């Protein structure tokens, strides 16, 4: 009996040790699980913050995209208006060039008629100078150089007076 009691006692001690080891092992596992749960909760909190930040960035990005799309629309409108304005200014400039060309041509015709009139007056003036005994100056290059100074009014009055006198003698 003693031996059987000793075996039972040793067996009970062994079981007790195994149970203590199992309890210690389970306690360590429990601590590990509690730490893992704490880490997971921390990660969940961090993930929620990241999600919130990502949603906020998405909202801001959406707002930026809308703003950029609006700016693009405004620039397109401004571009269309600018092109239309440039086309109208180009047309106005073309019309102005035509008018200016016409004006220049009419002024050239006026200048030519003035040159002819000046030649006639010059010839009459040269005739008067000759009749008065003055040397006859060379005819200027009309429109290219300054004409010599003449008292045009005096010459015109004398020429007209002589013309009237000649007409009356006829």
């Amino acid at each position: 009996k003693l031996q059987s009691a000793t075996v039972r006692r040793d067996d009970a001690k062994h079981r007790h040790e195994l149970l203590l080891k199992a309890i210690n092992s389970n306690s360590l596992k429990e601590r590990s699980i509690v730490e893992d749960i704490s880490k997971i909760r921390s990660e969940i909190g961090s993930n929620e913050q990241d999600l919130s930040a990502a949603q906020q960035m998405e909202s801001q990005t959406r707002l930026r995209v809308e703003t950029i799309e609006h700016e693009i629309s405004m620039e397109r409108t401004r571009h269309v208006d600018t092109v239309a304005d440039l086309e109208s200014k180009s047309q106005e400039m073309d019309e102005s060039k035509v008018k200016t060309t016409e004006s220049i041509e009419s002024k050239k015709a006026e200048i030519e008629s003035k040159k002819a009139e000046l030649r006639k007056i010059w010839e009459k003036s040269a005739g008067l100078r000759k009749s008065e005994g003055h040397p006859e100056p060379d005819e200027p290059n009309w429109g290219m150089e300054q004409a010599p100074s003449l008292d045009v009014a005096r010459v015109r009055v004398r020429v007209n007076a002589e013309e009237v006198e000649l007409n009356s003698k006829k």
Side-chain angles (χ1 to χ4, degrees):
K1 274 192 169 184
L2 185 62
Q3 201 177 14
S4 136
T6 308
V7 168
R8 278 188 287 183
R9 185 188 60 151
D10 286 340
D11 191 35
K13 277 184 180 179
H14 180 63
R15 279 191 219 151
H16 181 18
E17 286 175 8
L18 286 174
L19 284 173
L20 284 176
K21 283 182 184 179
I23 289 172
N24 281 338
S25 173
N26 286 339
S27 292
L28 288 175
K29 285 182 184 178
E30 178 188 10
R31 283 189 211 130
S32 173
I33 289 172
V34 167
E35 287 175 6
D36 288 345
I37 289 173
S38 175
K39 286 179 184 177
I40 289 172
R41 284 185 180 152
S42 172
E43 286 179 17
I44 288 172
S46 175
N47 288 342
E48 286 176 350
Q49 287 176 347
D50 289 347
L51 175 64
S52 174
Q55 288 172 338
Q56 186 177 10
M57 286 175 61
E58 180 183 14
S59 172
Q60 290 174 348
T61 302
R62 196 175 300 125
L63 181 63
R64 285 185 194 127
V65 167
E66 289 172 0
T67 302
I68 290 170
E69 287 173 346
H70 178 70
E71 287 176 0
I72 288 171
S73 172
M74 295 300 293
E75 283 298 313
R76 283 185 181 146
T77 302
R78 188 183 67 78
H79 177 72
V80 167
D81 292 345
T82 302
V83 167
D85 186 47
L86 286 174
E87 287 175 353
S88 70
K89 285 183 180 178
S90 175
Q91 187 176 4
E92 288 174 9
M93 287 178 65
D94 290 344
E95 292 170 359
S96 175
K97 286 178 185 176
V98 168
K99 287 179 182 176
T100 302
T101 303
E102 291 171 355
S103 173
I104 287 172
E105 293 301 320
S106 70
K107 287 183 181 177
K108 282 182 180 178
E110 286 179 29
I111 288 171
E112 288 302 318
S113 70
K114 292 287 183 184
K115 281 182 183 179
E117 186 180 329
L118 283 172
R119 278 192 190 99
K120 286 179 186 176
I121 292 174
W122 181 263
E123 289 170 3
K124 287 181 182 180
S125 171
L128 283 175
R129 283 178 172 225
K130 201 177 208 184
S131 70
E132 291 177 352
H134 297 292
E136 188 177 327
D138 294 333
E139 184 174 346
N141 189 0
W142 302 108
M144 301 305 226
E145 59 186 40
Q146 181 71 30
S149 176
L150 294 175
D151 185 358
V152 175
R154 181 181 66 84
V155 170
R156 186 174 282 149
V157 167
R158 276 188 86 183
V159 167
N160 288 339
E162 284 183 12
E163 211 175 293
V164 168
E165 187 180 315
L166 286 174
N167 286 336
S168 65
K169 286 182 181 178
K170 288 183 181 180

